[in-house]
Amino acid sequence: MAKDAVIGKTILEVQGLKKFFPIKAGLFKKVVGQVKAVNDVSFFLREGETLGLVGESGCGKTTTGRCIPRLIEPTAGSVKYHYGGKMVELTNLDPEELKGVRQEIQVIFQDPFSSLNPRMTVGDIIGEPLKVNKVCGPKERDDRVRELLRRVNLTTDMINRYPHEFSGGQRQRISVARALSLNTKVIICDESVSALDVSVQAQILNMLKELQSQLGLSYLFIAHDLNVVEHISHRVAVMYLGRIVEMGETNPLYQNPRHPYTEALLSAIPTGDPLMRKKRIHLEGSVPDSSNPPPGCNFHPRC
């Protein structure tokens, strides 16, 4: 297992982030409500740190991750990133300025097969960000692609093959290599190992930790598997119905959860010992409608 990278100053700061999707009805598609997918989320991420963002499907994890580099435009809130020696407000940048920031903030998606162009070779996929941003010429680009393949433990003779010729784990390694092709400092890992078998998951996680140690990367690691998050994260934020309900250092949070939702999530983690009897917390009721969340703590109707 890789040594942890040295954790430095704050590189990303999110304050009061909101993303509401309009509900339209009727002949004229009049807006009759809002789905509050992300509702007042705040957190920070430091250099060389991994922040795990966990919660059940539909809680707003992926939307939060995509609002940061403005793949989805946030409704409200502040996203500040340390760029060019100062904290820059990403929500105020024009498209040209945002293009420069996106060279440093990359996203790895859940399904590597659908996020890789099937008509492009591996060399073209990894080298495309270098070509689009006019970072270097063809010879330097080819050298950089080969270096990145070696970094993610793939051989350079794979450079002219297509995505369908690889396994799921190899495709995800290609996605990681593409994310690293520019001057990357922050990677948003959106369920990046959930589609892989357990043994392959472990290999990818250890590779991510190794790369973090070597390059000082910061990860926002979005997942629903709490075992995976515990393995890779320095801190963990727990989301429920568009809000963060608990956040803290990984070990204290796992050993002594303060919020009843966190406690229920941790009780559902399966154990490797078939003889071990674990008390499971069964939550009453169902998740409230995100277009009409309950007042106060979102979890109180089920607490």
Side-chain angles (χ1 to χ4, degrees):
M1 191 181 293
K3 280 173 63 181
D4 283 340
V6 176
I7 295 176
K9 61 179 179 293
T10 299
I11 193 170
L12 179 70
E13 190 175 338
V14 176
Q15 288 288 336
L17 184 69
K18 295 183 180 182
K19 178 58 187 177
F20 298 167
F21 294 97
I23 302 170
K24 297 180 180 180
L27 181 63
F28 298 104
K29 300 296 181 186
K30 183 180 175 184
V31 176
V32 295
Q34 302 276 354
V35 174
K36 298 176 180 178
V38 179
N39 192 7
D40 198 18
V41 163
S42 301
F43 60 85
F44 65 90
L45 180 65
R46 293 174 292 211
E47 290 177 344
E49 182 185 42
T50 301
L51 174 66
L53 188 59
V54 303
E56 60 196 307
S57 297
C59 70
K61 308 184 300 294
T62 292
T63 304
T64 299
R66 295 188 182 190
C67 282
I68 290 168
R70 283 171 56 191
L71 299 180
I72 299 174
E73 288 291 341
T75 303
S78 165
V79 180
K80 291 181 179 177
Y81 174 69
H82 196 270
Y83 181 68
K86 60 182 179 180
M87 294 300 278
V88 175
E89 178 58 66
L90 300 191
T91 58
N92 295 336
L93 298 183
D94 61 38
E96 196 57 40
E97 292 170 320
L98 190 61
K99 187 178 175 182
V101 173
R102 282 178 175 165
Q103 292 185 32
E104 298 188 6
I105 303 177
Q106 293 289 314
V107 183
I108 301 172
F109 298 98
Q110 178 176 354
D111 181 8
F113 194 63
S114 62
S115 65
L116 301 176
N117 189 332
R119 295 182 179 85
M120 292 173 73
T121 65
V122 166
D124 290 337
I125 287 168
I126 298 173
E128 188 180 29
L130 298 166
K131 185 178 180 181
V132 169
N133 290 281
K134 299 175 182 172
V135 173
C136 54
K139 174 68 172 67
E140 295 89 343
R141 188 161 65 240
D142 185 66
D143 291 342
R144 175 69 173 153
V145 169
R146 291 175 186 276
E147 179 203 338
L148 288 166
L149 283 170
R150 287 190 287 268
R151 272 201 184 276
V152 297
N153 301 321
L154 293 175
T155 57
T156 54
D157 60 1
M158 297 176 172
I159 198 167
N160 293 316
R161 288 165 61 181
Y162 290 86
H164 73 269
E165 299 178 67
F166 295 90
S167 67
Q170 288 174 322
R171 286 184 206 129
Q172 202 58 288
R173 289 176 188 272
I174 294 164
S175 297
V176 173
R178 178 177 62 182
L180 292 173
S181 59
L182 296 168
N183 184 29
T184 310
K185 292 181 180 173
V186 174
I187 298 183
I188 298 166
C189 303
D190 183 12
E191 301 274 13
S192 54
V193 296
S194 63
L196 309 174
D197 341 349
V198 175
S199 60
V200 181
Q201 278 187 8
Q203 293 169 17
I204 300 294
L205 291 173
N206 288 333
M207 181 189 73
L208 289 172
K209 286 177 74 89
E210 191 73 45
L211 290 168
Q212 185 177 54
S213 178
Q214 293 168 356
L215 305 173
L217 300 170
S218 304
Y219 297 136
L220 177 63
F221 195 86
I222 298 167
H224 61 265
D225 187 331
L226 284 105
N227 277 329
V228 167
V229 169
E230 183 181 21
H231 177 73
I232 197 170
S233 303
H234 298 97
R235 289 184 300 123
V236 176
V238 182
M239 275 192 85
Y240 179 77
L241 202 66
R243 288 183 176 173
I244 290 177
V245 295
E246 184 169 4
M247 181 160 48
E249 301 289 330
T250 303
N251 287 340
L253 185 140
Y254 273 67
Q255 298 302 320
N256 185 27
R258 300 298 179 90
H259 196 280
Y261 179 64
T262 310
E263 201 174 357
L265 280 183
L266 291 171
S267 79
I269 298 175
T271 60
D273 184 356
L275 300 176
M276 185 177 173
R277 291 286 177 264
K278 190 174 180 181
K279 186 181 177 184
R280 178 86 182 268
I281 298 172
H282 294 278
L283 297 176
E284 300 295 326
S286 57
V287 180
D289 183 357
S290 56
S291 65
N292 185 28
C297 174
N298 280 347
F299 190 65
H300 82 79
R302 305 177 72 192
C303 185

